[in-house]
Amino acid sequence: MASDEWTRWLLTRRDGGNAALRAEHASALEVFRDEVLDRASLAPADTVLDVGAGTGLIAFGALERLGPDGHVIFSDVSEAGLEECRKRAGGDPRCSFLHAPAEDLSALPDASVDVVTTRSVLIYCDHKAEAFREFFRVLRPGGRLSVFEPVNRFLLEHRPDSLFGLRDPEVADLLAKVVAVYRDGARRGENPMTDFDERDLLRWVAEAGFDGVEVDYRAQLDVPAEPIGDWAARKDAAPNPLAPTYGEAMTMALSEDERERLDTRMTQLAQSGTPTRRTLATAYIRALHP
């Protein structure tokens, strides 16, 4: 099956095919996976619905925690992603696969699963409140919801012109032009990636009917972080499935002379080990079906 933008990003564009970047991302993703699954409080015989399964980070992690009578439903909007998961599952009878968006899980009966998990999925949904209502519908009484979402509105509000947290005066004008490629069209209320914050998530969960709602919100502003690393490799990476790579954004925004100037400076910053600055906000949500 031909790949699509979602699966291409998960398999190659997220790290530009670079092993060091892939390892860096894998370490962070394992933390997200474990936090989501810890909050799900899995029992050995649970049926778990992983919405937006991608290539199976959460779903396969759930399988490792379930017993022989447990079951995981891999649900995703991408057929190519589901095919990748099928291959990795290797015929495990505890796995099934559903091609569906988060907002429409109508192929599943009411009260048919024990746990719903998602990670960085709602950020791409235009109708997030509908997704939470679907999660509530398919959960049995006593079922659990465990969600992780980045809250990109925080970055848009606090550091709209920042790329990797760098505000280097030598190339600040060029960085602003590249960031504008990503920012344009991502204004509040016009883009599902930036049209919500942690208070919206809390409200949608409560309005869907959930009980025992817990939101663990964390914000970081200009926190020293890892250096850029291999700049040539970093340019081949894209920040999300719907965005150009950093190199592509440079081509779109800069002249040839400007690209050369930015390349030279970014390579210098990488080689000197200059730290980036992390500005982001995230939310973990746990809730119960009464």
Side-chain angles (χ1 to χ4, degrees):
M1 177 180 294
S3 186
D4 56 26
E5 60 197 1
W6 307 98
T7 306
R8 283 195 298 274
W9 184 74
L10 289 168
L11 294 178
T12 59
R13 283 173 61 85
R14 177 162 55 188
D15 50 45
N18 180 269
L21 281 180
R22 184 173 296 120
E24 179 183 314
H25 290 144
S27 179
L29 290 172
E30 288 171 2
V31 173
F32 299 146
R33 176 199 64 198
D34 292 345
E35 291 280 358
V36 168
L37 291 174
D38 287 349
R39 286 169 169 79
S41 301
L42 300 183
D46 275 343
T47 294
V48 178
L49 169 65
D50 186 35
V51 178
T55 52
L57 176 74
I58 303 295
F60 286 119
L63 278 176
E64 293 177 359
R65 300 188 182 205
L66 296 176
D69 296 324
H71 187 80
V72 175
I73 303 169
F74 295 67
S75 175
D76 204 277
V77 73
S78 167
E79 283 278 20
L82 290 174
E83 183 61 29
E84 182 69 22
C85 289
R86 287 189 187 94
K87 293 177 183 177
R88 296 184 180 187
D92 189 329
R94 299 178 299 161
C95 301
S96 60
F97 305 90
L98 173 65
H99 181 222
E103 305 98 322
D104 182 7
L105 302 171
S106 55
L108 295 175
D110 295 357
S112 58
V113 305
D114 301 293
V115 175
V116 172
T117 59
T118 76
R119 183 198 66 82
S120 301
V121 171
L122 297 170
I123 196 170
Y124 301 110
C125 295
D126 289 316
H127 307 291
K128 298 175 179 64
E130 290 183 20
F132 281 112
R133 289 194 291 269
E134 279 290 83
F135 300 163
F136 185 85
R137 181 187 65 78
V138 300
L139 277 167
R140 299 184 178 109
R144 285 89 66 204
L145 173 70
S146 185
V147 171
F148 168 84
E149 287 296 327
V151 182
N152 282 2
R153 179 183 288 180
F154 182 83
L155 177 63
L156 188 64
E157 290 181 343
H158 292 279
R159 293 293 179 265
D161 295 320
S162 175
L163 186 67
F164 307 122
L166 295 171
R167 295 189 297 278
D168 187 82
E170 290 191 26
V171 289
D173 58 327
L174 305 183
L175 292 172
K177 289 182 180 181
V178 175
V179 171
V181 173
Y182 297 106
R183 191 182 63 239
D184 288 350
R187 309 297 183 182
R188 182 183 298 183
E190 298 177 1
N191 186 309
M193 298 186 73
T194 54
D195 68 356
F196 71 100
D197 63 18
E198 71 284 357
R199 292 163 295 183
D200 296 311
L201 293 169
L202 176 61
R203 174 170 53 84
W204 291 326
V205 174
E207 289 177 349
F210 284 97
D211 248 353
V213 181
E214 302 174 32
V215 177
D216 293 330
Y217 174 74
R218 184 186 187 196
Q220 297 175 282
L221 182 64
D222 295 334
V223 175
E226 62 280 345
I228 297 168
D230 185 338
W231 171 238
R234 184 77 64 176
K235 283 198 302 180
D236 288 335
N240 68 69
L242 305 180
T245 66
Y246 298 110
E248 289 167 346
M250 288 172 61
T251 299
M252 295 165 66
L254 305 177
S255 68
E256 184 175 350
D257 288 344
E258 288 174 327
R259 292 197 300 273
E260 183 176 349
R261 179 158 66 95
L262 184 56
D263 269 332
T264 299
R265 182 56 178 162
M266 295 297 272
T267 300
Q268 291 171 348
L269 294 172
Q271 291 176 344
S272 67
T274 300
T276 57
R277 297 274 174 170
R278 181 181 297 119
T279 294
L280 60 81
T282 60
Y284 287 97
I285 305 165
R286 184 179 188 272
L288 305 176
H289 190 302

PDB file of all heavy atoms in Angstrom, residues 252-268:
ATOM      1  N   MET A 252      11.324  28.027   0.661  1.00  0.00           N
ATOM      2  CA  MET A 252      10.112  28.805   0.415  1.00  0.00           C
ATOM      3  C   MET A 252      10.270  30.266   0.849  1.00  0.00           C
ATOM      4  O   MET A 252       9.709  31.162   0.222  1.00  0.00           O
ATOM      5  CB  MET A 252       8.930  28.175   1.166  1.00  0.00           C
ATOM      6  CG  MET A 252       8.553  26.790   0.680  1.00  0.00           C
ATOM      7  SD  MET A 252       7.474  25.905   1.846  1.00  0.00           S
ATOM      8  CE  MET A 252       5.999  26.915   1.751  1.00  0.00           C
ATOM      9  N   ALA A 253      11.049  30.498   1.922  1.00  0.00           N
ATOM     10  CA  ALA A 253      11.067  31.826   2.540  1.00  0.00           C
ATOM     11  C   ALA A 253      12.275  32.672   2.190  1.00  0.00           C
ATOM     12  O   ALA A 253      12.215  33.906   2.277  1.00  0.00           O
ATOM     13  CB  ALA A 253      11.002  31.669   4.069  1.00  0.00           C
ATOM     14  N   LEU A 254      13.378  32.041   1.793  1.00  0.00           N
ATOM     15  CA  LEU A 254      14.647  32.763   1.691  1.00  0.00           C
ATOM     16  C   LEU A 254      15.220  32.722   0.283  1.00  0.00           C
ATOM     17  O   LEU A 254      15.004  31.765  -0.470  1.00  0.00           O
ATOM     18  CB  LEU A 254      15.669  32.155   2.666  1.00  0.00           C
ATOM     19  CG  LEU A 254      15.260  32.055   4.138  1.00  0.00           C
ATOM     20  CD1 LEU A 254      16.364  31.374   4.941  1.00  0.00           C
ATOM     21  CD2 LEU A 254      14.937  33.427   4.714  1.00  0.00           C
ATOM     22  N   SER A 255      15.995  33.749  -0.024  1.00  0.00           N
ATOM     23  CA  SER A 255      16.767  33.739  -1.265  1.00  0.00           C
ATOM     24  C   SER A 255      17.960  32.796  -1.102  1.00  0.00           C
ATOM     25  O   SER A 255      18.273  32.339   0.004  1.00  0.00           O
ATOM     26  CB  SER A 255      17.263  35.144  -1.589  1.00  0.00           C
ATOM     27  OG  SER A 255      18.246  35.545  -0.631  1.00  0.00           O
ATOM     28  N   GLU A 256      18.634  32.536  -2.209  1.00  0.00           N
ATOM     29  CA  GLU A 256      19.799  31.645  -2.146  1.00  0.00           C
ATOM     30  C   GLU A 256      20.867  32.207  -1.216  1.00  0.00           C
ATOM     31  O   GLU A 256      21.464  31.470  -0.414  1.00  0.00           O
ATOM     32  CB  GLU A 256      20.373  31.439  -3.549  1.00  0.00           C
ATOM     33  CG  GLU A 256      21.527  30.444  -3.589  1.00  0.00           C
ATOM     34  CD  GLU A 256      22.008  30.163  -5.001  1.00  0.00           C
ATOM     35  OE1 GLU A 256      21.328  30.587  -5.966  1.00  0.00           O
ATOM     36  OE2 GLU A 256      23.069  29.513  -5.133  1.00  0.00           O
ATOM     37  N   ASP A 257      21.128  33.507  -1.299  1.00  0.00           N
ATOM     38  CA  ASP A 257      22.120  34.127  -0.421  1.00  0.00           C
ATOM     39  C   ASP A 257      21.684  34.046   1.046  1.00  0.00           C
ATOM     40  O   ASP A 257      22.507  33.807   1.941  1.00  0.00           O
ATOM     41  CB  ASP A 257      22.340  35.594  -0.811  1.00  0.00           C
ATOM     42  CG  ASP A 257      23.107  35.739  -2.113  1.00  0.00           C
ATOM     43  OD1 ASP A 257      23.723  34.737  -2.553  1.00  0.00           O
ATOM     44  OD2 ASP A 257      23.086  36.841  -2.696  1.00  0.00           O
ATOM     45  N   GLU A 258      20.407  34.245   1.295  1.00  0.00           N
ATOM     46  CA  GLU A 258      19.912  34.164   2.668  1.00  0.00           C
ATOM     47  C   GLU A 258      20.019  32.747   3.209  1.00  0.00           C
ATOM     48  O   GLU A 258      20.381  32.545   4.379  1.00  0.00           O
ATOM     49  CB  GLU A 258      18.465  34.642   2.726  1.00  0.00           C
ATOM     50  CG  GLU A 258      18.308  36.155   2.548  1.00  0.00           C
ATOM     51  CD  GLU A 258      16.862  36.572   2.473  1.00  0.00           C
ATOM     52  OE1 GLU A 258      16.030  35.786   1.949  1.00  0.00           O
ATOM     53  OE2 GLU A 258      16.546  37.684   2.933  1.00  0.00           O
ATOM     54  N   ARG A 259      19.723  31.767   2.376  1.00  0.00           N
ATOM     55  CA  ARG A 259      19.840  30.373   2.817  1.00  0.00           C
ATOM     56  C   ARG A 259      21.279  30.052   3.169  1.00  0.00           C
ATOM     57  O   ARG A 259      21.556  29.363   4.170  1.00  0.00           O
ATOM     58  CB  ARG A 259      19.324  29.415   1.737  1.00  0.00           C
ATOM     59  CG  ARG A 259      17.829  29.499   1.515  1.00  0.00           C
ATOM     60  CD  ARG A 259      17.308  28.275   0.770  1.00  0.00           C
ATOM     61  NE  ARG A 259      17.910  28.092  -0.539  1.00  0.00           N
ATOM     62  CZ  ARG A 259      17.461  28.665  -1.653  1.00  0.00           C
ATOM     63  NH1 ARG A 259      16.419  29.484  -1.609  1.00  0.00           N
ATOM     64  NH2 ARG A 259      18.045  28.420  -2.816  1.00  0.00           N
ATOM     65  N   GLU A 260      22.199  30.528   2.363  1.00  0.00           N
ATOM     66  CA  GLU A 260      23.607  30.270   2.640  1.00  0.00           C
ATOM     67  C   GLU A 260      24.024  30.923   3.957  1.00  0.00           C
ATOM     68  O   GLU A 260      24.754  30.314   4.762  1.00  0.00           O
ATOM     69  CB  GLU A 260      24.469  30.793   1.492  1.00  0.00           C
ATOM     70  CG  GLU A 260      25.958  30.490   1.672  1.00  0.00           C
ATOM     71  CD  GLU A 260      26.784  30.933   0.479  1.00  0.00           C
ATOM     72  OE1 GLU A 260      26.196  31.278  -0.571  1.00  0.00           O
ATOM     73  OE2 GLU A 260      28.034  30.938   0.602  1.00  0.00           O
ATOM     74  N   ARG A 261      23.555  32.130   4.200  1.00  0.00           N
ATOM     75  CA  ARG A 261      23.896  32.825   5.442  1.00  0.00           C
ATOM     76  C   ARG A 261      23.314  32.095   6.654  1.00  0.00           C
ATOM     77  O   ARG A 261      24.002  31.927   7.674  1.00  0.00           O
ATOM     78  CB  ARG A 261      23.384  34.268   5.390  1.00  0.00           C
ATOM     79  CG  ARG A 261      23.679  35.075   6.655  1.00  0.00           C
ATOM     80  CD  ARG A 261      23.671  36.578   6.394  1.00  0.00           C
ATOM     81  NE  ARG A 261      22.367  37.101   6.036  1.00  0.00           N
ATOM     82  CZ  ARG A 261      21.526  37.639   6.931  1.00  0.00           C
ATOM     83  NH1 ARG A 261      21.863  37.680   8.215  1.00  0.00           N
ATOM     84  NH2 ARG A 261      20.367  38.129   6.533  1.00  0.00           N
ATOM     85  N   LEU A 262      22.074  31.634   6.534  1.00  0.00           N
ATOM     86  CA  LEU A 262      21.456  30.916   7.654  1.00  0.00           C
ATOM     87  C   LEU A 262      22.118  29.560   7.860  1.00  0.00           C
ATOM     88  O   LEU A 262      22.379  29.158   9.007  1.00  0.00           O
ATOM     89  CB  LEU A 262      19.962  30.742   7.400  1.00  0.00           C
ATOM     90  CG  LEU A 262      19.168  30.085   8.540  1.00  0.00           C
ATOM     91  CD1 LEU A 262      19.348  30.840   9.850  1.00  0.00           C
ATOM     92  CD2 LEU A 262      17.693  29.973   8.172  1.00  0.00           C
ATOM     93  N   ASP A 263      22.420  28.855   6.777  1.00  0.00           N
ATOM     94  CA  ASP A 263      23.118  27.571   6.889  1.00  0.00           C
ATOM     95  C   ASP A 263      24.446  27.727   7.618  1.00  0.00           C
ATOM     96  O   ASP A 263      24.791  26.928   8.501  1.00  0.00           O
ATOM     97  CB  ASP A 263      23.367  26.972   5.501  1.00  0.00           C
ATOM     98  CG  ASP A 263      22.252  26.056   5.048  1.00  0.00           C
ATOM     99  OD1 ASP A 263      21.579  25.469   5.908  1.00  0.00           O
ATOM    100  OD2 ASP A 263      22.062  25.930   3.820  1.00  0.00           O
ATOM    101  N   THR A 264      25.203  28.729   7.242  1.00  0.00           N
ATOM    102  CA  THR A 264      26.515  28.958   7.848  1.00  0.00           C
ATOM    103  C   THR A 264      26.389  29.202   9.342  1.00  0.00           C
ATOM    104  O   THR A 264      27.111  28.618  10.155  1.00  0.00           O
ATOM    105  CB  THR A 264      27.222  30.149   7.184  1.00  0.00           C
ATOM    106  OG1 THR A 264      27.422  29.870   5.794  1.00  0.00           O
ATOM    107  CG2 THR A 264      28.557  30.430   7.845  1.00  0.00           C
ATOM    108  N   ARG A 265      25.439  30.061   9.712  1.00  0.00           N
ATOM    109  CA  ARG A 265      25.288  30.394  11.127  1.00  0.00           C
ATOM    110  C   ARG A 265      24.738  29.212  11.927  1.00  0.00           C
ATOM    111  O   ARG A 265      25.213  28.941  13.044  1.00  0.00           O
ATOM    112  CB  ARG A 265      24.358  31.600  11.285  1.00  0.00           C
ATOM    113  CG  ARG A 265      24.172  32.052  12.735  1.00  0.00           C
ATOM    114  CD  ARG A 265      25.511  32.365  13.392  1.00  0.00           C
ATOM    115  NE  ARG A 265      25.336  32.845  14.762  1.00  0.00           N
ATOM    116  CZ  ARG A 265      26.314  32.860  15.663  1.00  0.00           C
ATOM    117  NH1 ARG A 265      27.542  32.421  15.349  1.00  0.00           N
ATOM    118  NH2 ARG A 265      26.081  33.314  16.880  1.00  0.00           N
ATOM    119  N   MET A 266      23.775  28.501  11.398  1.00  0.00           N
ATOM    120  CA  MET A 266      23.213  27.358  12.116  1.00  0.00           C
ATOM    121  C   MET A 266      24.249  26.257  12.282  1.00  0.00           C
ATOM    122  O   MET A 266      24.302  25.581  13.319  1.00  0.00           O
ATOM    123  CB  MET A 266      21.982  26.828  11.379  1.00  0.00           C
ATOM    124  CG  MET A 266      20.824  27.806  11.346  1.00  0.00           C
ATOM    125  SD  MET A 266      20.158  28.213  12.976  1.00  0.00           S
ATOM    126  CE  MET A 266      18.961  26.905  13.172  1.00  0.00           C
ATOM    127  N   THR A 267      25.102  26.076  11.289  1.00  0.00           N
ATOM    128  CA  THR A 267      26.176  25.097  11.409  1.00  0.00           C
ATOM    129  C   THR A 267      27.143  25.507  12.511  1.00  0.00           C
ATOM    130  O   THR A 267      27.605  24.667  13.301  1.00  0.00           O
ATOM    131  CB  THR A 267      26.920  24.950  10.066  1.00  0.00           C
ATOM    132  OG1 THR A 267      25.999  24.519   9.058  1.00  0.00           O
ATOM    133  CG2 THR A 267      28.052  23.936  10.192  1.00  0.00           C
ATOM    134  N   GLN A 268      27.451  26.798  12.590  1.00  0.00           N
ATOM    135  CA  GLN A 268      28.319  27.289  13.668  1.00  0.00           C
ATOM    136  C   GLN A 268      27.701  27.034  15.042  1.00  0.00           C
ATOM    137  O   GLN A 268      28.378  26.572  15.966  1.00  0.00           O
ATOM    138  CB  GLN A 268      28.580  28.786  13.489  1.00  0.00           C
ATOM    139  CG  GLN A 268      29.451  29.148  12.294  1.00  0.00           C
ATOM    140  CD  GLN A 268      29.500  30.645  12.046  1.00  0.00           C
ATOM    141  OE1 GLN A 268      28.716  31.419  12.618  1.00  0.00           O
ATOM    142  NE2 GLN A 268      30.421  31.072  11.184  1.00  0.00           N
TER     143      GLN A 268
END
